[in-house]
Amino acid sequence: MAGELILIVEDNANNRMLVRDVLQSRGYQTAETETAEDALTLARDARPALILMDIQLPGMNGMDALARLRADASTRDIPVMAVTASAMTHDRHKIMAAGFDAYQSKPLNVREFVEAVRTVLAARDQRS
Ligand code: MN
């Protein structure tokens, strides 16, 4: 399936632009927001196929946003990939233990990132 909508939650404009360009060049549609609060609303309204979630955000952080998404029946099943500069091993464990579907660290390796997006979307298609 091509053209899925991917919601990018990232407060850094350069990172947001990179991710948007990479995804759009692969044929995905994108939506963007700088805050977790807006992401919760967008997730409910736009029903993205995947959410890319920065962890360190102004206001609500990405971990709390994930918990809110999972607590809401209308967003519970949307896969969420953490995209974070927290590259330290214990952070990765903590992030995956929180229930994220995948994890990519910044700076992004574009090829690995695209592969991870495809993997998560394929797993989602298997479930539905
Ligand atoms: Mn950030």
Side-chain angles (χ1 to χ4, degrees):
M1 208 165 81
E4 292 102 330
L5 176 65
I6 300 179
L7 173 59
I8 303 161
V9 189
E10 167 64 75
D11 61 315
N12 180 285
N14 289 329
N15 289 337
R16 220 166 43 239
M17 191 174 2
L18 169 68
V19 170
R20 174 209 309 147
D21 289 350
V22 166
L23 292 174
Q24 289 187 354
S25 73
R26 267 75 175 179
Y28 298 107
Q29 299 180 64
T30 61
E32 299 170 25
T33 175
E34 298 177 36
T35 70
E37 288 84 351
D38 282 348
L40 299 177
T41 307
L42 270 168
R44 274 192 298 267
D45 294 348
R47 307 301 315 260
L50 169 65
I51 299 172
L52 304 178
M53 183 72 74
D54 184 18
I55 300 298
Q56 291 178 298
L57 292 162
M60 188 190 305
N61 69 34
M63 304 280 272
D64 291 341
L66 177 72
R68 299 281 193 100
L69 290 165
R70 295 295 196 239
D72 184 332
S74 68
T75 56
R76 178 174 297 156
D77 296 329
I78 302 173
V80 185
M81 178 190 297
V83 181
T84 173
S86 309
M88 295 177 65
T89 309
H90 69 272
D91 285 340
R92 186 189 183 109
H93 288 312
K94 198 171 98 179
I95 287 164
M96 292 309 287
F100 284 93
D101 295 272
Y103 173 97
Q104 287 286 297
S105 58
K106 291 180 283 194
L108 286 177
N109 174 315
V110 170
R111 214 178 61 179
E112 268 181 33
F113 169 67
V114 171
E115 192 55 40
V117 166
R118 288 194 179 122
T119 300
V120 173
L121 288 174
R124 167 183 173 273
D125 289 346
Q126 292 270 316
R127 284 205 312 265
S128 56

